[in-house]
Amino acid sequence: AQRVTQPEKLLSVFKGAPVELKCNYSYSGSPELFWYVQYSRQRLQLLLRHISRESIKGFTADLNKGETSFHLKKPFAQEEDSAMYYCALSGFQAAGNKLTFGGGTRVLVKP
Amino acid sequence: NAGVMQNPRHLVRRRGQEARLRCSPMKGHSHVYWYRQLPEEGLKFMVYLQKENIIDESGMPKERFSAEFPKEGPSILRIQQVVRGDSAAYFCASSLGQGGNTEAFFGQGTRLTVV
C-alpha cells in the first residue's frame, strides 16, 4: 500500500526565513513524487515534481529514496508563499495519474 | 482553455436525497479523476475514468456512490441517499494522458453539505 505523511499541519515562519515542509512516503516500487499548492480561494495546482528537478518560485525538493522523503524547501520565505501545501505520490501503474496525497501543511509567512 | 470546471461549487442536500456533481475536463483531456477531501484531511482518491470506461474505482465506497464519464458531456459523480458523513469537498482532475509525467489539472471543487 502507498502512503504519504506530512507530519506538520501548520508551519509559521517570518518573511525572509527559511522554510522546510517535510514529506515521507511508503511505496514498494519506484514512485513519482509531487508537491501541490493551494492558495487562498484558488484551485489546487502543481508546484513541482521530482522528475523535472526544477526550482519553482524558489522552492526545491529532492527525492531521497534511502530516507523515503521528498521535503520541500525554500531559503527565503515570502508572504505570498502562505498557502496549503500537499505532497503527493503516483505509483506510475496502469491506473494512470492516480495520486495519493498527504494530509497537507498550512504555511503562514508573517511579515 | 477555461480549465477543469466543476459545478455546482456548493451543494446542500438533506439526508436521503441524491447529490450529482459535475466535472468538465480541460479541452482535449480524456482522463478524469475524482477525489474527496474530508474536513482536516488530505485528498483521497475515489475513481479514475476514461471516456465511457471506469478504469480504477478502488477508492469508491461500495454503496450509494457511482461515477460516469459519457462519450459526450461532463463526468458525473452521483451519491444516492446522502448521509451526514458524505459532507466533504469533492475535487475533479483531468489529464491529457496517463503516467506520472502527465500533469493532472484540478477543478475548484464542489463542497457538499448534508443537513
Side-chain angles (χ1 to χ4, degrees), chain A residues 9 32 34 36 38 41-47 49 51 84 86 90 92-104, chain B residues 2-5 33 35 37 40-45 48 55-56 58 91 95 97-104 106-108:
Chain A
K9 284 196 176 295
E32 305 281 352
F34 307 84
Y36 279 82
Q38 187 172 29
R41 300 185 186 281
Q42 294 188 27
R43 63 188 71 199
L44 200 64
Q45 57 186 283
L46 180 65
L47 180 62
R49 67 190 85 183
I51 58 172
M84 276 296 294
Y86 294 95
S90 172
F92 206 81
Q93 303 160 12
N97 232 334
K98 172 182 172 181
L99 294 165
T100 298
F101 284 88
Chain B
V4 178
M5 301 301 293
Y33 311 80
Y35 293 84
Q37 185 178 32
E40 305 298 321
E41 295 186 15
L43 284 76
K44 296 284 196 297
F45 168 79
Y48 162 40
I55 307 301
D56 182 345
S58 57
F91 291 92
S95 67
Q98 63 182 37
N101 61 349
T102 305
E103 183 176 347
F106 281 80
Q108 290 192 293

Side-chain angles (χ1 to χ4, degrees), chain A residues 26-65:
Chain A
S26 63
Y27 182 65
S28 56
S30 183
E32 305 281 352
L33 273 298
F34 307 84
W35 276 99
Y36 279 82
V37 61
Q38 187 172 29
Y39 300 103
S40 180
R41 300 185 186 281
Q42 294 188 27
R43 63 188 71 199
L44 200 64
Q45 57 186 283
L46 180 65
L47 180 62
L48 54 79
R49 67 190 85 183
H50 90 271
I51 58 172
S52 58
R53 293 184 171 274
E54 56 190 348
S55 173
I56 304 292
K57 298 184 179 182
F59 284 97
T60 58
D62 291 315
L63 179 60
N64 186 323
K65 291 188 177 181

